[in-house]
């Protein structure tokens, strides 16, 4: 069920397991199209509880989480306080956790996070705020944790507990192995959790190894629990938690026992749930063209048979008899789906001139297209679509590259120091160069924001790497645009809000070039959110410009690749690469030297970008081949965005 925010007042949560389509599910959950509308609904539930408690003259005890998931909920609560007079004077809060050791003034502390996102902006009494103390002496920890539990009990227990979920299945920092009865304690963080926290700490080595966390028992004693999960990164753990068996390997599964817990999730986080991924297994479906392809590809992959070899029995045995009756025979359906996939393949990503384009992914006309490739960081263009980029140039299109952000925070201090020292050999008196060198050499912890001069140097390093790569692929410097979108320029991993200024910069470029094609990153699993912000900005810009006559003739293609890839059934254009082109693409990626050798924001894949992307392009080709299509060395994949 995808809910519309308009309906929130009449919202009734369907009980898990009551209907056929939720029969695999053991935790009540509600799906939303976007995390924004979902967060607003959750904030309203909290606000209603606070008001109810105010009316009955009692305290409202909230258990609060940190991380990226609850940010919009806090934003909405702050808005309600400022604009609607929602008062927090009767609210007592208990935060789930804090890193250990961790000083509360450190910008990476959860103490800092909570004040920045919520407490500094509302009228909560400071004495009503409880956050585990990250500098408590180790010999006092045991008693400190007991006292935290007692304090929760003394105020009558938690009325409403807000949770996020880690990819390990942790709630709070209750990592795999946690006991269902556990209470507040010190815990060692799982490696995956530390990897996920690495960007905020500018590298995994700076992430604390321990944390103080409320226990599973503490959380489960709350009268009401709402868990938030957004994005593709959470889809596997959400499926395991909602559909799997209760196990200490996935501590969030303990919530299956709770009588009043709801998971609030967005489309992407829900995408592995049986009723979302394979709806034909749990209900009768409205067979749209894309659902048919999804189902047939799924069946072919499940049975490890090329599409053209699927039989009536295969369909009937796997919940697709209604599709078959709609389509006639397996033979007809197979050919139709095979052709659909076949028609996605093209060596002419800008369209094949002077040829019938009725079954091609791109238009033949205009034969020479104006193209803008938007690249969130200065390297996503070559990493994700280096082969297609090369073809577009070779086939004579006017290709522009727009680097949306400077990418400066992904340049390590060591790399920047190298360049600063070279600059010093050229001009030893430069005050700016000497200041940069001093700053880098003296920076001990990574909790200081780089001064503007260091950020500028790091940005310039990425700029020259990008120009080296775009020159190699044959486009002139005048076609390379460095947008330096302001939302990114905070000097820290946490980005600013998107503003009209960001959108206007993109508007201006599109308006100037008037492109026939736009390529952009639809790579929403990027762990630090920049790709999502860049896409949101582009979509806002397209929305603003869409009535312009030239936009009627502009097609938008989304690529992926640095972090994950489109599923075969989602692909609208598949551009094959020869082994030589694969090497050329690799070479282009190599120009981005500051991003080699263990980059700062690697995620949980320790391979370098060129290795992962070659693997992914090879895998897409293999998947096509397994479905019965031709055997290519590698394929870059695109999905069309219709506006
Ligand atoms: C934070 C916490 C964690 C996070 C979880 C998800 O207080 O207890 O359990 O909720 O790690 O983090 P995000 O929301 O950043 O994906």
């Amino acid at each position: 069920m995808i809910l519309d925010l308009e309906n929130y007042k009449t919202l009734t949560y369907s009980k898990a397991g009551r209907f056929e389509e939720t029969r695999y599910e053991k935790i009540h959950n509600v799906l939303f199209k976007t995390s924004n509308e979902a967060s607003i609904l959750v904030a309203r539930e909290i606000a209603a509880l606070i008001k109810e408690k105010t009316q009955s003259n009692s305290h409202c005890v909230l258990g609060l989480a940190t991380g990226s998931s609850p940010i919009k909920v806090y934003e909405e609560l702050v808005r309600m306080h400022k604009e609607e007079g929602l008062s927090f004077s009767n609210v007592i809060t208990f935060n789930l956790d804090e890193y250990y050791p961790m000083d509360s003034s450190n910008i990476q502390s959860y103490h800092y996070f909570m004040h920045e996102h919520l407490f500094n902006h509302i009228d909560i009494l400071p004495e009503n705020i409880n956050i585990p103390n990250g500098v408590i002496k180790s010999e006092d920890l045991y008693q400190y944790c007991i006292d935290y539990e007692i304090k929760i009990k003394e105020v009558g227990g938690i009325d409403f507990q807000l949770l996020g979920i880690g990819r390990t299945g942790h709630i709070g920092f209750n990592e795999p192995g946690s006991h269902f009865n556990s209470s507040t304690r010190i815990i060692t963080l799982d490696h995956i959790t530390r990897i996920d926290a690495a960007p905020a700490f500018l590298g995994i080595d700076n992430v604390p190894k321990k944390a103080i966390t409320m226990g599973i028992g503490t959380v489960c004693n709350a009268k009401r629990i709402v868990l938030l999960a957004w994005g593709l990164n959470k889809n596997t753990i959400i499926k395991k938690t909602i559909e799997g068996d209760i196990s200490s390997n996935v501590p969030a599964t303990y919530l299956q026992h709770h009588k009043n817990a709801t998971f609030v999730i967005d489309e992407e986080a829900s995408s592995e749930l049986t009723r979302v991924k394979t709806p034909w297994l749990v209900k009768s479906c409205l067979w749209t063209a894309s659902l048919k392809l999804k189902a047939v590809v799924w069946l072919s992959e499940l049975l490890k048979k090329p599409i053209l070899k699927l039989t009536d029995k295969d369909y009937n045995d796997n919940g697709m008899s209604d599709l078959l009756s709609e389509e006639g025979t397996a033979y007809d359906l197979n050919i139709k789906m095979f052709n659909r996939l076949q028609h996605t393949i093209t060596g002419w990503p800008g369209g094949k001139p002077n040829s019938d384009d009725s079954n091609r992914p791109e238009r033949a006309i205009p034969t020479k297209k104006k193209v803008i490739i938007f690249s969130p960081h200065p390297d996503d263009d070559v990493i994700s679509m280096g082969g297609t980029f090369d073809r577009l140039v070779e086939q004579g299109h006017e290709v522009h590259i727009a680097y949306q952000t400077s990418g400066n925070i992904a340049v390590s201090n060591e790399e920047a120091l190298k360049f600063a020292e070279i600059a010093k050999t050229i001009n030893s008196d430069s005050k700016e160069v000497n200041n940069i060198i001093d700053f880098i050499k003296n920076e001990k912890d990574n909790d200081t924001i780089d001064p503007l001069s260091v950020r500028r140097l790091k940005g310039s390093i990425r700029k020259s790497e990008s120009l080296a790569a775009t020159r190699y692929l044959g486009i002139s410097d005048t076609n390379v645009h460095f947008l330096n979108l302001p939302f990114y320029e905070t000097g820290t991993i946490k980005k600013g809000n998107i503003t009209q200024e960001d959108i206007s910069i993109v508007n201006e470029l599109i308006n100037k070039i008037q492109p026939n094609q736009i390529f952009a990153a639809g790579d929403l699993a990027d762990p630090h959110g920049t790709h999502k912000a860049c896409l949101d900005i582009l979509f806002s810009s397209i929305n603003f410009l869409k009535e312009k006559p030239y936009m009627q003739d502009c097609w938008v293609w989304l690529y992926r690749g640095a972090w994950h890839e489109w599923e075969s059934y989602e692909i609208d254009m598949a551009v094959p690469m020869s082994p030589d082109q694969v090497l050329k693409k690799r070479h282009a990626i190599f120009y981005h030297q500051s991003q080699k050798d263990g980059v700062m924001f690697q995620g949980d894949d320790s391979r370098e970008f060129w290795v992962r992307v070659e693997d992914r392009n090879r895998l897409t080709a293999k998947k096509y081949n397994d479905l019965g299509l031709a055997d290519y060395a590698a394929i870059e994949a695109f999905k069309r965005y219709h506006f």
Side-chain angles (χ1 to χ4, degrees), residues 216-342:
I216 300 284
T218 331
V219 168
C220 287
N221 278 335
K223 293 164 194 118
R224 165 82 172 136
I225 295 178
V226 172
L227 182 146
L228 314 171
W230 323 130
L232 282 177
N233 277 336
K234 299 286 170 73
N235 64 4
T236 314
I237 197 65
I238 281 295
K239 180 187 167 76
K240 278 190 195 162
T241 305
I242 293 181
E243 297 188 2
D245 292 334
I246 295 178
S247 144
S248 68
N249 288 339
V250 182
T253 54
Y254 290 128
L255 297 172
Q256 291 180 16
H257 279 317
H258 197 275
K259 295 278 180 301
N260 193 12
T262 296
F263 280 20
V264 173
I265 49 189
D266 69 359
E267 259 181 6
E268 285 150 358
S270 74
S271 56
E272 282 293 315
L273 290 179
T274 305
R275 82 179 137 120
V276 178
K277 187 172 184 181
T278 49
W280 50 89
L281 295 179
V282 288
K283 61 173 186 185
S284 56
C285 296
L286 183 64
W287 286 104
T288 59
S290 53
L291 190 64
K292 283 179 203 169
L293 185 63
K294 182 177 182 185
V296 173
V297 167
W298 172 83
L299 187 62
S300 162
E301 286 173 354
L302 179 79
L303 302 178
K304 299 192 171 39
K305 274 183 173 184
I307 291 176
L308 293 175
K309 287 190 178 165
L310 295 171
T311 64
D312 284 16
K313 184 169 183 313
D314 294 332
Y315 283 99
N316 289 329
D317 287 352
N318 288 284
M320 282 186 254
S321 33
D322 58 336
L323 173 60
L324 213 50
S325 61
E326 215 176 290
E327 290 292 318
T329 62
Y331 181 81
D332 295 326
L333 178 58
N334 292 348
I335 290 190
K336 219 175 175 178
M337 294 301 116
F338 178 86
N339 283 338
R340 237 192 103 155
L341 281 171
Q342 177 66 42

Side-chain angles (χ1 to χ4, degrees), residues 64-70 96-97 110 163-166 170-173 234:
L64 297 180
T66 53
S68 59
S69 310
L96 281 165
D97 39 23
Y110 283 168
L163 293 177
I165 183 169
H170 72 213
I171 46 176
F173 273 139
K234 299 286 170 73

Side-chain angles (χ1 to χ4, degrees), residues 204-476:
I204 188 155
D205 295 341
N206 309 316
V207 182
K209 297 204 166 62
K210 291 185 181 276
I212 301 173
T213 182
M214 281 189 198
I216 300 284
T218 331
V219 168
C220 287
N221 278 335
K223 293 164 194 118
R224 165 82 172 136
I225 295 178
V226 172
L227 182 146
L228 314 171
W230 323 130
L232 282 177
N233 277 336
K234 299 286 170 73
N235 64 4
T236 314
I237 197 65
I238 281 295
K239 180 187 167 76
K240 278 190 195 162
T241 305
I242 293 181
E243 297 188 2
D245 292 334
I246 295 178
S247 144
S248 68
N249 288 339
V250 182
T253 54
Y254 290 128
L255 297 172
Q256 291 180 16
H257 279 317
H258 197 275
K259 295 278 180 301
N260 193 12
T262 296
F263 280 20
V264 173
I265 49 189
D266 69 359
E267 259 181 6
E268 285 150 358
S270 74
S271 56
E272 282 293 315
L273 290 179
T274 305
R275 82 179 137 120
V276 178
K277 187 172 184 181
T278 49
W280 50 89
L281 295 179
V282 288
K283 61 173 186 185
S284 56
C285 296
L286 183 64
W287 286 104
T288 59
S290 53
L291 190 64
K292 283 179 203 169
L293 185 63
K294 182 177 182 185
V296 173
V297 167
W298 172 83
L299 187 62
S300 162
E301 286 173 354
L302 179 79
L303 302 178
K304 299 192 171 39
K305 274 183 173 184
I307 291 176
L308 293 175
K309 287 190 178 165
L310 295 171
T311 64
D312 284 16
K313 184 169 183 313
D314 294 332
Y315 283 99
N316 289 329
D317 287 352
N318 288 284
M320 282 186 254
S321 33
D322 58 336
L323 173 60
L324 213 50
S325 61
E326 215 176 290
E327 290 292 318
T329 62
Y331 181 81
D332 295 326
L333 178 58
N334 292 348
I335 290 190
K336 219 175 175 178
M337 294 301 116
F338 178 86
N339 283 338
R340 237 192 103 155
L341 281 171
Q342 177 66 42
H343 294 153
T344 63
I345 302 175
T346 183
W348 299 84
K352 188 168 184 184
N354 311 318
S355 63
D356 174 12
D357 59 8
S358 47
N359 280 321
R360 291 179 175 278
E362 250 299 352
R363 302 145 295 168
I365 294 173
T367 47
K368 297 290 175 225
K369 293 190 171 57
K370 286 184 282 180
V371 181
I372 307 181
I373 299 176
F374 281 94
S375 176
H377 298 97
D379 65 356
D380 292 302
D381 53 340
V382 285
I383 289 174
S384 299
M385 54 171 290
T388 306
F389 178 169
D390 183 42
R391 276 186 192 254
L392 286 165
V393 176
E394 288 201 338
Q395 289 166 2
H397 301 288
E398 179 186 320
V399 179
H400 294 259
I401 305 292
Y403 294 112
Q404 288 161 284
T405 69
S406 68
N408 56 15
I409 59 162
V411 177
S412 67
N413 280 347
E414 295 73 28
E415 188 73 10
L417 186 59
K418 263 185 354 200
F419 285 88
E421 283 174 345
I422 293 169
K424 191 174 167 148
T425 62
I426 298 166
N427 180 359
S428 59
D429 296 335
S430 161
K431 203 161 166 250
E432 186 165 10
V433 171
N434 285 310
N435 284 345
I436 292 173
I437 293 175
D438 286 349
F439 173 82
I440 296 177
K441 284 192 168 163
N442 292 326
E443 198 191 23
K444 292 191 185 56
D445 302 322
N446 280 299
D447 58 358
T448 337
I449 296 175
D450 282 349
L452 197 61
S453 54
V454 175
R455 274 188 264 160
R456 243 194 270 127
L457 172 65
K458 290 181 174 179
S460 309
I461 293 171
R462 298 213 67 181
K463 190 170 171 185
S464 19
E465 290 172 349
S466 305
L467 286 170
T470 49
R471 283 172 199 153
Y472 171 70
L473 289 178
I475 67 169
S476 94

Side-chain angles (χ1 to χ4, degrees), residues 37 54 62 75 90 105 114 194 205 210 230 253 268 274 298 349 367 399 470 481 527 532 624:
E37 55 185 319
T54 312
L62 301 178
E75 246 173 59
N90 69 328
S105 62
M114 285 310 300
R194 294 186 66 239
D205 295 341
K210 291 185 181 276
W230 323 130
T253 54
E268 285 150 358
T274 305
W298 172 83
T367 47
V399 179
T470 49
H481 311 269
K532 166 102 175 70
Y624 261 50

